[in-house]
Amino acid sequence: MLVPLSFLSFYASVALAHFIVPNDDQDMSGLVVNSIPYSTRVKYMRLANEALFEQSGPCPFAAYGTIIVNHTAADAVVCRGANFRTGDPTIHGEISAINACTKVFQERNMTASEIFAAWGELSIYTNAESCPMCASAIRWAGFKEYVYGTTIQHNYNAGWGVMTLSSYDVFQQSRQLPGWQTSMLGQILTNETDPLFSWQYNEVSRKWRYEQECMERLTAEDKV
């Protein structure tokens, strides 16, 4: 069922936690949340994809990229993250970005209390819906906004081994947490994020992606 954009805009204006999880076939070009237009959301979701390639190479298997943005400071990207294979199972893109920001804040000599308060001014963009662990971390941090691309359901259907508890369900159970109630915007730029997660468990798609897009990226890097 489609939800009218007018309803979404109203719902996004209330002070309580709000959840915007539009359908794939919904035109979101007119969506404005927290005075930020949809075109800006698209721009930063693309930067989340670029953060992935910058940190994990031209064709990473675990294609999860994250950026943390301060929309009140000239739309500055504060830090980036991606899934890293370090042996630590908790280092997903979101956790990687949160850790990177914490380090940045510590280098600015911010106190622990100041760092904790800073999350409420920031927006986290991730090119795929967060797992329950990362969605919980986002809520514990108290981010102002959480914006994601590809859904958990899409990745499950594509063959990924995922926990199928949605971010919506995690957020619904976090209403009693103190501090800012994080805004959630889902399925942003899925026409560009979905393909990043659609080839890994499909032999035909995997071969095509390597021969086409991955080799193109490698060639482009060699020319730089």
Side-chain angles (χ1 to χ4, degrees):
M1 180 181 71
L2 291 179
V3 180
L5 286 177
S6 58
F7 174 78
L8 292 178
S9 298
F10 166 77
Y11 204 47
S13 68
V14 299
L16 297 176
H18 37 276
F19 314 105
I20 300 176
V21 188
N23 295 315
D24 286 323
D25 58 351
Q26 182 170 338
D27 177 10
M28 294 192 292
S29 59
L31 183 65
V32 178
V33 177
N34 293 329
S35 302
I36 299 172
Y38 181 69
S39 59
T40 299
R41 304 298 184 184
V42 167
K43 171 185 174 181
Y44 283 95
M45 189 58 69
R46 287 193 175 121
L47 288 177
N49 285 340
E50 288 303 315
L52 164 71
F53 300 129
E54 289 170 5
Q55 297 180 84
S56 300
C59 198
F61 187 90
Y64 297 87
T66 302
I67 59 173
I68 294 175
V69 178
N70 187 342
H71 281 301
T72 63
D75 283 339
V77 176
V78 182
C79 44
R80 298 167 173 81
N83 275 39
F84 294 118
R85 298 195 175 195
T86 64
D88 183 343
T90 68
I91 302 301
H92 292 186
E94 299 92 326
I95 304 301
S96 171
I98 290 171
N99 288 344
C101 271
T102 302
K103 183 177 180 181
V104 168
F105 295 151
Q106 289 172 337
E107 290 173 348
R108 295 177 182 174
N109 295 318
M110 293 172 64
T111 66
S113 295
E114 289 171 336
I115 293 172
F116 188 78
W119 303 117
E121 300 297 321
L122 302 175
S123 302
I124 185 166
Y125 286 73
T126 179
N127 61 1
E129 183 177 0
S130 299
C131 72
M133 176 188 72
C134 293
S136 297
I138 289 167
R139 282 297 296 119
W140 276 114
F143 277 96
K144 183 176 183 178
E145 298 178 323
Y146 157 50
V147 187
Y148 69 83
T150 296
T151 65
I152 286 176
Q153 187 63 49
H154 172 278
N155 286 349
Y156 174 80
N157 293 342
W160 287 86
V162 295
M163 296 182 184
T164 55
L165 184 68
S166 71
S167 294
Y168 178 87
D169 291 327
V170 172
F171 275 39
Q172 286 282 35
Q173 299 303 317
S174 70
R175 289 177 178 271
Q176 300 306 313
L177 289 180
W180 185 270
Q181 297 295 306
T182 307
S183 304
M184 181 173 71
L185 290 81
Q187 296 179 214
I188 303 298
L189 199 67
T190 53
N191 61 307
E192 295 184 22
T193 61
D194 282 1
L196 295 175
F197 301 94
S198 300
W199 58 273
Q200 289 86 341
Y201 297 97
N202 182 304
E203 184 175 352
V204 174
S205 295
R206 186 166 62 245
K207 184 175 184 296
W208 179 89
R209 183 172 177 82
Y210 179 79
E211 291 178 348
Q212 301 295 321
E213 186 168 340
C214 296
M215 290 306 297
E216 287 178 6
R217 286 186 178 275
L218 284 169
T219 301
E221 287 185 358
D222 289 340
K223 291 180 179 179
V224 175

